[in-house]
Amino acid sequence: MEVDVLGIDLAKRVFQLHGATRTGVVVHRSKVSRPSFLESIRRLSPKLVVMEACSSAHYWARVLQRQGTDVRLISPQYVAPFVKTNKNDRNDAEAIVEAASRPAMRFVAIKTIEQQDLQALHRLRQLLVHQRTAIINQVRGVLAERGIVVAQTPAAFHRAMPDVLASQDEELSQFCRGLLVDLLEHLKSVEEKIDSCDARVKAFMSNSQACKRISAIDGVGPLTATAIVAAVGDASEFKNGRHLAAWLGLVPRQYSSGGKSKLYGISKRGDKYLRTLLIHGARAVLRYVAGKTDAQSKWLQQLIERRGYNRAAVAVANKNARVIQALLSSDREYVRQAVA
């Protein structure tokens, strides 16, 4: 019998295959090695190949698409409920087929090489920022043990360090000063790499029409624009802007039953990095609305009064996510709205 749906449980060296018809009848089960993987797919000639959207899934999806195979990716959280009894490769592959057979199943867009390159750049920058924070906190901890208190922000830290090193404080020995100098040199190297990442982000931004369109939104800068484009592409997988906002975890968490709706704080599902960028961008917008008299600023001022600063920031981030989806799924330019 022909294989209508082929579920693949990916791994580094061994792949589990599970083939079934549209009616769910199992017609193939096998375990193949990495070298023979593509040949096995060609021999089976499935109408649809389905994989979890995990490590290397986008690579294999692109390879199979180039061979003319229809490929879909499913989020692992949608596959987990279909795993029967114990978790193993065979049951995982079967669960992937079961999940893909659901009529209302949502699939993950396959990323291009350019999108993954840009995501890798953002991950590198994020790592470097974490390292910068760790080094600054290490220096502040060493100084605090000697009675010297330094502010937390990188700018304040850099302003304070020349005076600290030049001071004649007897608690700060010459040996300790040498250690601090080594840490500061390492910090300088890390910050230079962060600047290099920022320059690459801006270069990509200048060559991407999609990034330019969404960067016109208040609170969306080069980092947010490029990160969104790298993660969602043209946003065609989302039915509307509310779906993108929900995917980013910017909608209330719901626990409703018996016709009674109960809403809590935001769900915080999806990509934490993107959600953080959108909320920080919204905070930057709210920071400068005081005293402004245009319609949008007045709306934001009222939003802060009614909901408080933090909830207003989330509301603006949610609104920006909906606008971003509308712009990425079409060729329209951003036009500022007077109200939400």
Side-chain angles (χ1 to χ4, degrees):
M1 296 179 68
E2 291 187 352
V3 177
D4 291 324
V5 183
L6 181 67
I8 303 175
D9 184 60
L10 297 173
K12 294 179 181 178
R13 298 179 179 86
V14 179
F15 304 87
Q16 180 70 43
L17 309 183
H18 181 94
T21 64
R22 288 292 181 184
T23 58
V25 178
V26 179
V27 295
H28 178 81
R29 282 196 181 104
S30 65
K31 184 177 290 187
V32 299
S33 64
R34 188 183 184 95
S36 61
F37 175 61
L38 293 178
E39 180 58 33
S40 298
I41 301 297
R42 280 194 291 265
R43 186 173 62 254
L44 291 172
S45 300
K47 296 179 180 178
L48 176 65
V49 170
V50 189
M51 299 176 285
E52 281 186 333
C54 58
S55 178
S56 77
H58 294 277
Y59 161 73
W60 287 116
R62 291 194 298 268
V63 171
L64 293 173
Q65 279 184 334
R66 287 196 288 269
Q67 295 182 355
T69 306
D70 187 12
V71 185
R72 300 287 181 88
L73 301 182
I74 304 180
S75 175
Q77 66 179 343
Y78 295 145
V79 175
F82 294 94
V83 177
K84 300 173 184 175
T85 63
N86 299 315
K87 184 187 185 306
N88 54 52
D89 294 348
R90 179 169 172 161
N91 289 342
D92 286 348
E94 183 178 357
I96 292 171
V97 173
E98 291 282 348
S101 301
R102 301 303 95 195
M105 181 52 61
R106 299 172 185 172
F107 297 98
V108 177
I110 299 172
K111 289 182 174 59
T112 64
I113 296 175
E114 291 75 15
Q115 283 180 279
Q116 289 196 300
D117 286 346
L118 189 54
Q119 274 199 326
L121 174 60
H122 275 272
R123 296 296 177 263
L124 172 60
R125 185 186 183 280
Q126 190 178 19
L127 173 63
L128 293 171
V129 169
H130 287 168
Q131 291 179 351
R132 178 180 66 181
T133 303
I135 296 170
I136 291 176
N137 287 340
Q138 181 71 41
V139 174
R140 291 178 65 248
V142 171
L143 294 175
E145 291 178 350
R146 289 161 174 77
I148 302 173
V149 179
V150 179
Q152 294 183 18
T153 64
F157 175 83
H158 284 299
R159 286 196 300 268
M161 285 312 299
D163 293 336
V164 170
L165 294 176
S167 68
Q168 301 300 319
D169 193 326
E170 61 181 12
E171 290 286 337
L172 199 61
S173 65
Q174 196 63 32
F175 179 80
C176 183
R177 292 175 193 270
L179 294 179
L180 293 177
V181 169
D182 290 341
L183 283 172
L184 292 174
E185 289 178 353
H186 182 39
L187 176 62
K188 181 180 179 182
S189 174
V190 170
E191 290 182 328
E192 288 175 351
K193 292 177 182 177
I194 293 175
D195 292 339
S196 175
C197 289
D198 289 338
R200 292 180 179 180
V201 167
K202 292 178 180 177
F204 184 90
M205 175 88 177
S206 63
N207 295 323
S208 172
Q209 292 300 322
C211 288
K212 289 179 181 178
R213 287 204 309 274
I214 64 176
S215 65
I217 304 170
D218 293 337
V220 178
L223 273 180
T224 306
T226 53
I228 288 285
V229 169
V232 304
D234 59 4
S236 59
E237 289 292 326
F238 298 96
K239 184 178 179 181
N240 53 47
R242 294 183 185 276
H243 283 198
L244 176 58
W247 181 73
L248 292 170
L250 290 170
V251 299
R253 184 166 49 89
Q254 184 174 177
Y255 189 83
S256 303
S257 180
K260 296 181 180 179
S261 297
K262 292 183 180 180
L263 301 179
Y264 301 92
I266 59 174
S267 66
K268 296 185 179 179
R269 297 190 182 100
D271 195 320
K272 180 181 178 181
Y273 180 68
L274 295 179
R275 184 171 61 253
T276 301
L277 290 176
L278 284 169
I279 291 178
H280 283 338
R283 290 182 187 277
V285 172
L286 296 179
R287 184 179 178 182
Y288 297 102
V289 298
K292 293 185 177 180
T293 57
D294 60 281
Q296 178 142 333
S297 295
K298 288 183 178 180
W299 170 71
L300 292 174
Q301 293 164 13
Q302 294 173 359
L303 192 64
I304 295 173
E305 292 176 3
R306 292 197 310 267
R307 302 188 182 183
Y309 189 82
N310 289 332
R311 289 187 177 182
V314 173
V316 173
N318 183 302
K319 177 176 180 287
N320 285 346
R322 301 199 309 267
V323 175
I324 287 171
Q325 192 278 336
L327 295 179
L328 290 180
S329 59
S330 66
D331 294 329
R332 291 178 293 174
E333 297 294 330
Y334 175 68
V335 178
R336 177 176 295 182
Q337 299 292 323
V339 295

